[in-house]
Amino acid sequence: MTQETALPRVAIGSLGGTVSMQAAAPGQGVTPKLDCDAMLAALPQLVGLAQFSTATLCLVPSASLDFTGLLEVLAWAKAQVGQGAQAVVLTQGTDTLEEAAYFLDLLWPCDAPMIMTGAMRAASHPGADGPANLLAAVRVALSENSRGRGVLAVINDQIHEAKAVRKTASLAMAAFESPGSGPIGQVVEGCAHYRQVASRRRVLPLPQRTSQRVVLLEACLDADTTLLQALPGLGYDGLVVAGFGAGHVSEPWADTLADVVGHMPVIVATRTGSGSTARATYGFVGGEIDLQAKGMRMAGVLCPRKCRILLWLLLGSSALTELDDWLAH
Ligand code: ASP
């Protein structure tokens, strides 16, 4: 057996984002340019670590990814594992990495790790972090300890769970955190160190339909109810509210939401960026006790954006009855 064939196989799929971006000419803004092979070519340290199969799945800023495209990425990743890949690494823009990671994690049925990474500095900028993040992602992907943990985000040498990870800074290098829980691991001298053992995972079935629409609205001081009142007539299938504090809205919003919840499921999350919604603390109109009495669900620790993804997938697989259970864990 040659050394080449003895190496584990890792599939790397690239989707675009800053990690792939370059300026066409000095002084111009950066845009997605590098395909997957070009990104790997900038990383000779990968040689000898694994055999790589590469695919440029798309080349877009991550704001332009969508659920249908992510389902195609999932199918590609599953096929790679089916063909013998020990792990899958995905590169994409950091702007929506937390949402894509959670979406894929909810559907990833394999023990093989799926590791997502990106970069804060474009490939053509001094001090580009993409190559270091990609190398760290591959090393985490190859770690036996990463198996059975679903989809992880590896960035800035930290390892984050898909459910918890969040981009908390627009341009800083240390842009990712897992508010409340912290990262589940660290990359130290190229090795993945985890703070806890892998916990039991649940995955959702693939959605049978993708036409459902879930809207996310944020509660703001003195916000009117025009949009809320219109929602039942706009064809949406679900609503997530990023509520104040522990999951609260104003009295006019509470009254209008009481009507909306007769037409579609409504989840109220916290807009604070960290911590859980309450369940049994506040008794005012628009507080969580009132909202639950009116038929709304509280999100717990799940952030508004990830609630929207969960609700979309549950609606798509006709598994809405499982919503409370998913929100409780
Ligand atoms: N600023 C983003 C990034 O870090 C752009 C994107 O998300 O595509 O990749």
Side-chain angles (χ1 to χ4, degrees):
M1 193 185 277
T2 63
Q3 202 205 348
E4 170 85 345
T5 53
L7 289 174
R9 195 159 80 75
V10 173
I12 304 188
S14 66
L15 307 177
T18 297
V19 64
S20 70
M21 291 194 195
Q22 286 183 332
Q28 284 189 6
V30 295
T31 53
K33 286 266 178 339
L34 299 181
D35 67 15
C36 197
D37 289 329
M39 284 194 295
L40 261 66
L43 206 45
Q45 291 83 351
L46 289 177
V47 174
L49 283 185
Q51 306 173 64
F52 296 101
S53 49
T54 59
T56 304
L57 300 168
C58 59
L59 200 49
V60 297
S62 71
S64 295
L65 294 173
D66 58 31
F67 292 161
T68 311
L70 288 179
L71 289 172
E72 284 164 18
V73 172
L74 181 79
W76 171 82
K78 284 205 257 186
Q80 295 301 309
V81 173
Q83 290 159 26
Q86 175 174 319
V88 176
V89 172
L90 295 174
T91 62
Q92 71 149 84
T94 57
D95 288 354
T96 63
L97 194 145
E98 67 204 59
E99 284 162 275
Y102 184 62
F103 182 96
L104 293 168
D105 185 59
L106 286 173
L107 299 171
W108 184 238
C110 308
D111 266 350
M114 178 185 281
I115 310 294
M116 301 186 62
T117 194
M120 293 304 295
R121 285 195 189 134
S124 57
H125 282 173
D129 51 332
N133 285 336
L134 182 52
L135 181 59
V138 168
R139 287 192 158 133
V140 172
L142 286 167
S143 165
E144 193 55 30
N145 264 340
S146 300
R147 295 188 69 78
R149 294 181 186 269
V151 178
L152 302 170
V154 173
I155 197 149
N156 202 27
D157 279 343
Q158 292 185 318
I159 310 172
H160 298 271
E161 278 184 320
K163 184 177 176 186
V165 69
R166 181 173 177 145
K167 186 175 185 181
T168 55
S170 56
L171 291 166
M173 296 294 283
F176 283 83
E177 290 175 50
S178 290
S181 55
I184 55 154
Q186 190 81 26
V187 184
V188 182
E189 296 181 323
C191 295
H193 291 262
Y194 288 97
R195 302 208 164 92
Q196 63 217 37
V197 294
S199 47
R200 207 172 61 80
R201 303 181 57 233
R202 275 174 85 183
V203 290
L204 283 168
L206 280 176
Q208 302 112 31
R209 66 181 181 110
T210 55
S211 56
Q212 66 278 15
R213 292 192 295 141
V214 179
V215 63
L216 165 59
L217 295 177
E218 180 165 308
C220 312
L221 196 61
D222 201 27
D224 66 65
T225 58
T226 315
L227 267 178
L228 282 185
Q229 287 176 48
L231 272 189
L234 294 178
Y236 285 100
D237 303 285
L239 165 67
V240 176
V241 175
F244 301 114
H248 303 152
V249 299
S250 66
E251 219 171 297
W253 268 47
D255 293 341
T256 312
L257 284 170
D259 175 44
V260 176
V261 83
H263 296 86
M264 66 189 84
V266 178
I267 307 178
V268 183
T270 173
R271 65 172 201 170
T272 60
S274 176
S276 175
T277 52
R279 289 198 189 273
T281 301
Y282 290 96
F284 56 82
V285 176
E288 77 280 359
I289 294 174
D290 173 53
L291 297 179
Q292 288 171 100
K294 289 182 161 103
M296 283 156 251
R297 265 64 165 240
M298 304 308 292
V301 293
L302 205 58
C303 82
R305 298 189 275 266
K306 291 179 187 174
C307 277
R308 176 173 165 269
I309 285 167
L310 176 66
L311 187 51
W312 189 86
L313 284 172
L314 288 172
L315 285 163
S317 55
S318 307
L320 204 54
T321 49
E322 293 178 24
L323 178 57
D324 292 329
D325 205 34
W326 278 91
L327 291 175
H329 294 102

